[in-house]
Amino acid sequence: MRVNDARQFGAKRWTSSPRSPTIIARSLRGSRYFSLRQPRKARGSISVPRAWKVFRVLDPKTVAYLDVGGSGNETNAHLGADGRITIMFCAFDQPALIFRIYGKGRAVLPQDDGWAELYARFTPLPGTRQIFVIDVDEVQTSCGWGVPFMTLDRERQTLSTYHAAQTGTERLAKWAGRTTSIDGLPVRVATVLPDCAGE
């Protein structure tokens, strides 16, 4: 699609993130975004839905989101391989909008330098294992006219309940055994737990 054609559908591009998160907030009424990765060494791409409450705009060129333990740790492995990541926000009501952030990301773990200052920007959650920090290369909006209308009923509490029932020792032991992704890429695991309500 030529640039002029794209503009007919409301497409805009910037080489850095907006100074105000207004454009992001506008796209987040549906309260969901997706992280997409496709490292060159992996077999395929991965798309994971996320909740807005764990996302932060740190400055005009940097965003981050908090990650809790799940069944895998693919983002950690993929960012360690080549760092490439896309964050895609979709509005599921009016006005229609898709907002993408393209950049290079890295995992910051509780044992890393700078963790405490970064973690203070987030609301603590049981099971927190890392924060993904993304240096923004480019952001883009598109029309979103093909995105269906959907309504969020409520957040699932299953994962938080699961983590709250575990001891810190149990959680670290489980993470210690997950050192590779499904693609066979190495995973850097947390070796200490953050201070967190419910831990």
Side-chain angles (χ1 to χ4, degrees):
M1 179 182 290
R2 298 191 303 272
V3 172
N4 288 341
D5 293 334
R7 286 174 179 171
Q8 294 178 16
F9 292 91
K12 296 181 180 179
R13 299 171 69 183
W14 296 267
T15 54
S16 65
S17 60
R19 289 193 172 277
S20 167
T22 302
I23 189 70
I24 299 177
R26 182 186 172 213
S27 71
L28 287 179
R29 290 188 178 184
S31 70
R32 281 295 177 272
Y33 65 96
F34 301 82
S35 64
L36 303 98
R37 295 98 53 207
Q38 189 175 21
R40 296 180 177 88
K41 297 180 181 179
R43 292 196 300 265
S45 60
I46 301 291
S47 176
V48 181
R50 305 285 181 177
W52 164 240
K53 66 181 180 180
V54 299
F55 185 87
R56 298 290 184 273
V57 178
L58 303 182
D59 61 49
K61 291 282 291 181
T62 316
V63 298
Y65 68 90
L66 182 144
D67 175 74
V68 300
S71 56
N73 201 355
E74 303 305 295
T75 303
N76 179 300
H78 290 176
L79 294 186
D82 66 12
R84 297 188 305 161
I85 187 170
T86 300
I87 303 294
M88 181 180 72
F89 296 91
C90 294
F92 295 115
D93 55 8
Q94 294 285 21
L97 185 68
I98 295 173
F99 180 76
R100 296 180 181 90
I101 299 173
Y102 303 95
K104 292 291 184 66
R106 65 188 186 279
V108 180
L109 278 62
Q111 67 266 25
D112 293 343
D113 293 338
W115 167 266
E117 181 180 359
L118 183 61
Y119 188 49
R121 305 284 295 267
F122 294 85
T123 300
L125 294 175
T128 295
R129 64 180 172 184
Q130 60 204 337
I131 296 170
F132 294 114
V133 178
I134 301 160
D135 297 320
V136 178
D137 294 326
E138 181 178 294
V139 298
Q140 181 184 47
T141 61
S142 56
C143 65
W145 295 346
V147 177
F149 286 102
M150 289 191 287
T151 302
L152 175 65
D153 183 11
R154 63 187 183 277
E155 298 283 355
R156 294 183 189 272
Q157 299 303 315
T158 309
L159 190 58
S160 293
T161 301
Y162 169 80
H163 284 304
Q166 275 191 323
T167 66
T169 301
E170 290 172 333
R171 187 171 304 129
L172 287 175
K174 179 166 289 188
W175 291 346
R178 296 176 175 174
T179 57
T180 58
S181 72
I182 59 176
D183 302 295
L185 298 174
V187 170
R188 195 165 67 91
V189 300
T191 57
V192 298
L193 294 175
D195 294 329
C196 177
E199 293 286 11

